[in-house]
Amino acid sequence: MSVRTEPGHRAPQSRTKGSTASAFTGTGHLLRLILRRDRVLLPIWILLLAVLPASYASTYAGLYPTADERAAYLAGTASNPSIVALLGPVYGDSVGALTVQRAGLLALIVGLIGLLTVVRHTRTEEEAGRRELLGATVLGRYAGLTAALLVTYAANVLLGLLTAGGLVAAGLPGAGSVLFGAGVALTGVVFATVGGLAAQLTESASGARGIGVGALGLAFVLRLGGDAGGSGGSAEWLSWLSPLGWAARGRAYADERWWVLLLPVLFSAVVALVAYPVSVRRDLGAGVFPSRLGPATAGAGLAGPFGLAWRLHRGQLLGWTVGFGLLGLVLGGAADAAGDAVQGNQQLAEIMSRLGGSSALAEAYLGGTLSLTALAAAGYGIQAALRARAEETAGRVEPLLATAVSRARWLAAHLVFALLGPAVVLAVAGLATGLAYGLSVSDVGGELPRLLGAGLAQVPAVWVLAGLAALLVGWLPRFSGGAWAVLAGCLLLGQLGAVLELDQWALDLSPFTHTPQVLGQDWSATPLAALTAAAAALLTLALLTFQKRDIPTP
């Protein structure tokens, strides 16, 4: 049985605390435990992400084999401020330089995986009570955090080596390949360390993930804002404040700047120097930010399961809404520059003229960015659905269901936020994008509703993934975390599907493949209705299966 310590009392963590070495006692055993638990997940994401840059290099080498063709592509597309804002700057027209820019979002994915992995093996273990049991044995006070960080660091180093090896195998220079691989690996190291610190700040795993993802989102917005003006722009200094911008500024395959690698190393060291002392000075099960005591009597809003769900989800909903609003403003403000892609490129100008002029490129950019935004919103939907599972594992569901509250009402209250939450944040993203783009083209009245509709068109696909997460909670709760793997699969299909020339049936596995492009094209509402029906079926099955399965005691 897990017993939470009282404030001021710490559970035993080591029988020999007198030396620095004893503080790390048991780290090796925890390393083996983590590797055993992640023996499937770690190799999958490392191999899938490592092959991504090499596939981009092969594609560019095939599509633009000559220097003149690459120079035309650089002048017409790769140097477009809107593309630079989304993917990052490009330094030169070599295959390697273009590959580095195309893989610009890889750092974001690696950072997210790194911080989630560390939180899973630190704060989640503590919240579940397993850390207290281990702490009662011969286990050093730094062992838990150290083991989680070492495994994640090693995974990122391996990812960097495989990435560099894949790029060399694709025919790119070795120095640039090693520099790029090191930059990607160190980005993962940075956010793994941020995840380690976030795990010390709050007493819940969901709160730690929220802090970590918030830091990652801030880094992305800073990089986005700094790169929106292009290389040498007045706001470029913002990118230097973002760990997501450091890898690109190493200038792989151009005038390599190896000293840039010191920035993530120093940043990680500083964050770790904060995280380690905090990890042993706080109470076991507690965080630096203490839980606020509620009032002596509950308000009328907590009289039912929906009121409780609102209390649990409101902070998360507010954070995601603000973040998506800021992201929409940045993306919409950069979209008008898409028309610059046709200037000075007669061939591209003729193609775009047949497609509808330079505005067609801006609409393609807006449609692409909203699709990526929908993937992020799907992450929010999954997180909201899995909150029900977190409440169950924490032992807070049984007392509620012992009252007049039915299982269906309790789960449905959480699923409301898994559905309405993504719809709200995508609506806000569409409105903010439409406002910023409308101001830039002096047509707010026309662009605002148009981009609001484009944002809402992404909602049914997001609902499908939220419904799948809910079904796993209701049917296979032990495997509910697999919803994140499905989201990663959708992301990789979107990034790699066209590059690898996958069959259409494989692309159709992602619900986002069926979302129609509503900007500047004729479209049908049939796919949206089909996706909505699929989501409704998944949610119905989730409610039915949850009512029939056991709710085990933690």
Side-chain angles (χ1 to χ4, degrees), residues 266-287:
L266 294 175
F267 183 89
S268 299
V270 171
V271 175
L273 287 175
V274 176
Y276 269 94
V278 171
S279 68
V280 296
R281 290 176 183 170
R282 63 178 177 83
D283 293 329
L284 186 65

Side-chain angles (χ1 to χ4, degrees), residues 26-34:
T27 301
H29 295 289
L30 289 180
L31 282 171
R32 290 192 290 273
L33 176 62
I34 294 173

Side-chain angles (χ1 to χ4, degrees), residues 419-444:
L419 297 177
L420 292 185
V424 169
V425 299
L426 283 172
V428 169
L431 286 171
T433 304
L435 176 62
Y437 182 55
L439 289 173
S440 64
V441 298
S442 302
D443 187 19
V444 174

Side-chain angles (χ1 to χ4, degrees), residues 130-321:
R130 291 185 288 268
R131 179 67 180 86
E132 186 176 0
L133 293 175
L134 292 173
T137 64
V138 183
L139 191 68
R141 56 194 177 186
Y142 294 151
L145 178 59
T146 302
L149 288 177
L150 285 179
V151 169
T152 312
Y153 289 173
N156 280 284
V157 170
L158 180 58
L159 170 63
L161 291 173
L162 292 176
T163 299
L167 291 171
V168 171
L172 298 185
S177 300
V178 172
L179 178 58
F180 178 71
V184 170
L186 288 175
T187 301
V189 167
V190 164
F191 286 101
T193 314
V194 169
L197 177 58
Q200 316 307 320
L201 300 180
T202 177
E203 67 176 20
S204 69
S206 60
R209 285 190 290 266
I211 293 173
V213 172
L216 182 66
L218 176 61
F220 182 65
V221 170
L222 286 173
R223 190 204 63 74
L224 205 68
D227 292 338
S231 179
S234 59
E236 187 181 11
W237 61 274
L238 289 173
S239 296
W240 286 99
L241 298 179
S242 171
L244 294 177
W246 294 338
R249 274 154 183 79
R251 299 196 178 195
Y253 306 108
D255 52 332
E256 281 92 356
R257 297 175 172 179
W258 293 92
W259 61 267
V260 174
L261 298 179
L262 292 174
L263 295 177
V265 172
L266 294 175
F267 183 89
S268 299
V270 171
V271 175
L273 287 175
V274 176
Y276 269 94
V278 171
S279 68
V280 296
R281 290 176 183 170
R282 63 178 177 83
D283 293 329
L284 186 65
V288 173
F289 303 140
S291 298
R292 294 180 300 172
L293 295 177
T297 58
L302 292 176
F306 180 79
L308 176 60
W310 163 250
R311 181 68 176 254
L312 294 173
H313 288 269
R314 62 184 183 182
Q316 188 179 62
L317 176 60
L318 177 62
W320 280 83
T321 301

